[in-house]
Amino acid sequence: MTISKHIATALVGAGLMAGTNAYAGTVVFNASVASDPDRAAVTAAVDAFEKIHPDIDVDINFYDEESNKTAIRNWLTTSPPDIVKWYAGNKMVQLVEPGLLADVSDIWTDEEKTEFGPGMVDSISVDGKQYGVPTSYSTWAIYYRTDLFEKAGVTAPIATFDDLVAACTTFRDNGIIPIALGSKGAWPLAGWFDYIDLRLNGYKFHMDLMNGKVAWSDDKVKAVFAEWKKLVDADCFAENHTSLAWREGLAKMNQGEAAMMLMGNYLIASLTPESEPVTGAMNFPVINADIPRAEDAPIETYHIPAKAKNIPEAKLFLAFLMEPSTQSLMSEIYPVLPANPEASPPDVRLLKDSAELAAGAEYYAQFIDRDTDSQVATVAMDGFQEFLVHPERLDRILANIDRAQQRAYPQ
């Protein structure tokens, strides 16, 4: 595995000639991982980097994603590591604006920008400067059990939202849980809000809401919850979902008890050998046919804290992560879609299917907890959880989110 000509050019320009022994020491890397395969992919990338740079040791500290979200700001302001794994979009901007992330524009050549494409470059840019490296992205879809659909006589893909509501009744009549869900951590519910809003009101309205330009008590937002309530009233969701983590919710689908689940494509790695062959993927159904299609496609990124002690060595590692060969290696171990289009995606049926479903959308959102202020997202997701159990409290829930939004986006 070698550094490409493009990357080598960038490193020369940044004063970081790849392949020399000018840099040495230990680079501290705080990495959040979603699963054991994710951990293995990060470890493999580090091992490959250390073979090229034997004088640089990369010391990895693994964290689960929720712990990473809680601790990262404290790391960046007190004793920062040299590299952190984080997210694109507003999540990154919230760390760039107070000066917590280093500008790494010098490792982004014009050739690399062209190779990655404007969407990926924009996702890690603020005011024309780059503050990280995208390594992979996930697409969201409704994953479903083809055998349970056949058993209940439900046709896939489900075309419209009203068809989805009707299917819930059919599944219940056949003793099948319609929709698997684990909302103990409330973030999976954000996928439901995102998609209903994107399908009902469209991408522009959704992003205006995310950016504090529209109140959560707006009638169009209330209309989103009215559609969502149709699913609640039709008993679509698994029982006791608020006490289940998302993988515990997925277990009901793996065990053949639930028909489908809305989730990112990282779900694929958690399917059992028995359930994978009978699992398909479909787009979220249409609500307003006049609305251009938008999809959730969150991007995973790596960054260097502004106060890192070993920034030159950290830039070498980020440049290595940009390489198609590195991203191919990582996605082969942990089946995700590489951010660099020159990388080879893994030969995984459902991953290819979900990528094809996302392709051709006019717009792509990052996910609510990345598109809006973190405090607004937290209050909103807690509100989603409360709504599914107590939909009669909607006005109070929206008022709470409005107050959080007003604090985050003062007019």
Side-chain angles (χ1 to χ4, degrees):
M1 194 175 299
T2 58
I3 298 293
S4 73
K5 180 177 70 175
H6 296 165
I7 292 293
T9 301
L11 294 174
V12 170
L16 302 168
M17 184 56 206
T20 72
N21 293 323
Y23 300 96
T26 299
V27 173
V28 179
F29 175 18
N30 287 5
S32 63
V33 291
S35 63
D36 288 340
D38 191 3
R39 178 191 292 255
V42 173
T43 301
V46 168
D47 290 344
F49 175 80
E50 290 178 336
K51 287 181 180 178
I52 296 174
H53 301 282
D55 294 327
I56 301 175
D57 294 323
V58 180
D59 185 4
I60 318 173
N61 299 311
F62 286 110
Y63 297 87
D64 66 81
E65 292 185 315
E66 294 308 312
S67 297
N68 189 55
K69 292 175 185 177
T70 302
I72 190 168
R73 189 173 288 270
N74 183 57
W75 295 336
L76 297 179
T77 56
T78 54
S79 300
D82 298 302
I83 301 164
V84 293
K85 186 179 178 185
W86 195 232
Y87 310 109
N90 194 64
K91 282 276 195 182
M92 185 197 75
V93 173
Q94 290 175 2
L95 299 181
V96 170
E97 289 181 341
L100 298 177
L101 296 181
D103 178 355
V104 296
S105 302
D106 50 7
I107 67 171
W108 280 93
T109 64
D110 289 341
E111 290 88 349
E112 287 301 323
K113 290 178 181 178
T114 299
E115 187 169 278
F116 275 81
M120 287 295 172
V121 177
D122 288 349
S123 75
I124 45 83
S125 299
V126 178
D127 296 332
K129 297 179 180 179
Q130 287 71 56
Y131 289 88
V133 168
T135 55
S136 65
Y137 68 99
S138 58
T139 56
W140 276 62
I142 293 178
Y143 294 90
Y144 67 96
R145 292 277 303 226
T146 57
D147 53 341
L148 298 185
F149 269 63
E150 183 177 351
K151 176 182 176 181
V154 175
T155 300
I158 295 174
T160 71
F161 192 79
D162 287 342
D163 291 340
L164 176 62
V165 175
C168 291
T169 300
T170 303
F171 282 120
R172 288 292 184 188
D173 289 345
N174 283 271
I176 299 167
I177 299 168
I179 299 173
L181 180 63
S183 66
K184 184 177 182 179
W187 64 266
L189 299 177
W192 285 96
F193 178 85
D194 273 6
Y195 268 104
I196 297 174
D197 192 32
L198 290 168
R199 293 292 188 265
L200 181 64
N201 296 316
Y203 178 81
K204 184 181 183 303
F205 178 86
H206 182 72
M207 293 311 298
D208 282 347
L209 178 65
M210 297 297 101
N211 290 314
K213 297 177 181 179
V214 175
W216 281 80
S217 53
D218 188 275
D219 286 344
K220 286 188 173 182
V221 179
K222 291 181 178 179
V224 172
F225 285 91
E227 294 296 318
W228 205 349
K229 189 172 183 296
K230 292 178 183 178
L231 298 176
V232 177
D233 292 343
D235 197 20
C236 291
F237 298 108
E239 296 79 1
N240 303 315
H241 59 80
T242 58
S243 64
L244 302 175
W246 80 266
R247 283 191 181 82
E248 293 172 323
L250 175 62
K252 295 184 179 296
M253 200 170 109
N254 274 332
Q255 294 161 6
E257 299 173 14
M260 55 187 141
M261 189 176 202
L262 175 66
M263 187 52 64
N265 58 21
Y266 36 83
L267 166 148
I268 297 167
S270 295
L271 293 173
T272 62
E274 294 76 24
S275 66
E276 191 281 335
V278 292
T279 299
M282 59 183 166
N283 284 123
F284 196 91
V286 172
I287 299 178
N288 181 347
D290 295 327
I291 294 292
R293 184 162 67 89
E295 301 290 340
D296 268 341
I299 300 169
E300 306 295 319
T301 53
Y302 290 77
H303 308 269
I304 300 173
K307 296 181 180 179
K309 295 179 180 178
N310 300 291
I311 288 180
E313 290 84 357
K315 283 184 177 180
L316 284 176
F317 186 71
L318 259 61
F320 179 76
L321 290 178
M322 296 171 75
E323 284 290 289
S325 55
T326 306
Q327 296 195 10
S328 297
L329 169 68
M330 296 176 73
S331 63
E332 182 179 350
I333 297 168
Y334 178 47
V336 293
L337 296 168
N340 189 324
E342 298 299 316
S344 301
D347 187 18
V348 176
R349 174 185 63 87
L350 280 171
L351 195 62
K352 291 179 179 179
D353 290 349
S354 63
E356 290 174 3
L357 290 173
E362 191 160 336
Y363 302 103
Y364 295 94
Q366 281 294 300
F367 201 67
I368 189 172
D369 68 342
R370 306 184 190 189
D371 282 329
T372 194
D373 176 84
S374 59
Q375 294 303 312
V376 177
T378 297
V379 175
M381 290 187 287
D382 287 345
F384 300 159
Q385 190 182 60
E386 183 177 0
F387 171 76
L388 260 65
V389 179
H390 296 287
E392 72 279 2
R393 298 178 184 173
L394 177 62
D395 288 342
R396 191 186 74 181
I397 291 168
L398 296 180
N400 285 340
I401 308 173
D402 270 343
R403 283 191 288 271
Q405 185 189 64
Q406 289 160 11
R407 290 191 296 270
Y409 301 100
Q411 300 298 321

